[in-house]
Amino acid sequence: MHPVQDHDPERDLLVTRVFNVPRRLIWRAWTEPELLMKWFTPAPWQMVDCSIDLRPGGALRWTMRSPQGEESTHEACYLEVVASERLVWTDALGAGFRPSLQPFIAVSVRLDDDNGATRQTCHVLHKGAATRQAHLDKGFEQGWGACLDQLADVVRGIGT
Amino acid sequence: MHPVQDHDPERDLLVTRVFNVPRRLIWRAWTEPELLMKWFTPAPWQMVDCSIDLRPGGALRWTMRSPQGEESTHEACYLEVVASERLVWTDALGAGFRPSLQPFIAVSVRLDDDNGATRQTCHVLHKGAATRQAHLDKGFEQGWGACLDQLADVVRGIGT
């Protein structure tokens, strides 16, 4: 049993979605900047810049822009990279595993075959129950739901 | 170039020491609880408990006790595990890559052959210059120096 598969309902949030495409397309959508930019930021915000160094210790950096032109830039660090199977990253670390200024979550994305489709299971880990609740209060379910709708559109667009 | 090998003198601390034993003994001293307990806590404090789950996402947990009986328990998470070559861990994450309550450092330990001996290079990464300075102010050099003296004694004791 992999450690991040142990779900702790007091501190974690769990989001499962089935996409009607093979795992490798979901993997591409998570790991190619030009695809990630199309879905990883909930509209009406847009991702306007993205770089991916896809290896443990490598950084994911992205910049989001609001309709009013406000921008915010974020950095995370990849922890586990197993193509078409598992991607783990955290914003508690940045490039080269450096501790970050504003740690918040770690995310494990697992992809499983599901009758020709792909079941994606995202575990979102927090340091404690209060942080988990704060994440819910600032719109976790709506934000992730909107992003995953966008992800479904993106993978439909790239075909099989 | 591995990301954690990029030394940032503004935010990192670097400790290099040559031990007159092969790399595999230094590796054992870092990864076997009964050996780590003998050196990883500077005297007169003692490590009284230790558990190691040696894989990315696995936890290192240890308890230290003062001469007066005060105890403190700590948890860290392994990030990279390459036997006899490289060990990376951080207290910014705990078991299963969960963000921690009190993030502070990430540590990369690199072991290189050096004319039959082993050169150990420890990079200690902080989120910023102020945290690095706070680490120095609370006795980083003295504490690590004392531990590495103890490590030298331990590896002499287990022979080749």
Side-chain angles (χ1 to χ4, degrees), chain A residues 19-32 35 54 82-86 111-113 116-120 151 154-155 158-160:
Chain A
F19 299 96
N20 200 22
V21 297
R23 283 186 288 133
R24 64 182 174 77
L25 289 194
I26 303 295
W27 183 259
R28 286 186 55 195
W30 274 101
T31 59
E32 296 181 13
L35 295 177
L54 193 65
V82 184
S84 298
E85 291 184 17
R86 170 185 296 283
L111 304 178
D112 293 299
D113 290 326
T118 298
R119 175 177 299 271
Q120 172 182 284
L151 171 55
V154 165
V155 291
I158 54 179
T160 58

Side-chain angles (χ1 to χ4, degrees), chain A residues 74-95:
Chain A
H74 305 269
E75 183 171 304
C77 179
Y78 292 107
L79 299 169
E80 286 198 337
V81 178
V82 184
S84 298
E85 291 184 17
R86 170 185 296 283
L87 187 66
V88 185
W89 53 270
T90 184
D91 63 8
L93 303 173

Side-chain angles (χ1 to χ4, degrees), chain A residues 12-130:
Chain A
D12 300 346
L13 292 165
L14 192 61
V15 184
T16 301
R17 177 84 69 109
V18 176
F19 299 96
N20 200 22
V21 297
R23 283 186 288 133
R24 64 182 174 77
L25 289 194
I26 303 295
W27 183 259
R28 286 186 55 195
W30 274 101
T31 59
E32 296 181 13
E34 59 276 24
L35 295 177
L36 192 68
M37 288 176 73
K38 291 179 179 169
W39 71 269
F40 194 58
T41 297
W45 283 67
Q46 280 193 303
M47 196 188 296
V48 293
D49 194 28
C50 179
S51 69
I52 287 177
D53 181 11
L54 193 65
R55 54 176 172 166
L60 162 65
R61 293 192 183 90
W62 72 100
T63 300
M64 305 189 298
R65 183 183 294 157
S66 77
Q68 291 74 37
E70 184 191 350
E71 291 197 355
S72 69
T73 294
H74 305 269
E75 183 171 304
C77 179
Y78 292 107
L79 299 169
E80 286 198 337
V81 178
V82 184
S84 298
E85 291 184 17
R86 170 185 296 283
L87 187 66
V88 185
W89 53 270
T90 184
D91 63 8
L93 303 173
F97 297 124
R98 180 178 302 284
S100 69
L101 296 170
Q102 296 191 306
F104 184 48
I105 56 173
V107 176
S108 160
V109 182
R110 202 179 74 222
L111 304 178
D112 293 299
D113 290 326
D114 187 351
N115 294 316
T118 298
R119 175 177 299 271
Q120 172 182 284
T121 306
C122 294
H123 275 95
V124 183
L125 285 73
H126 307 85
K127 65 183 177 183

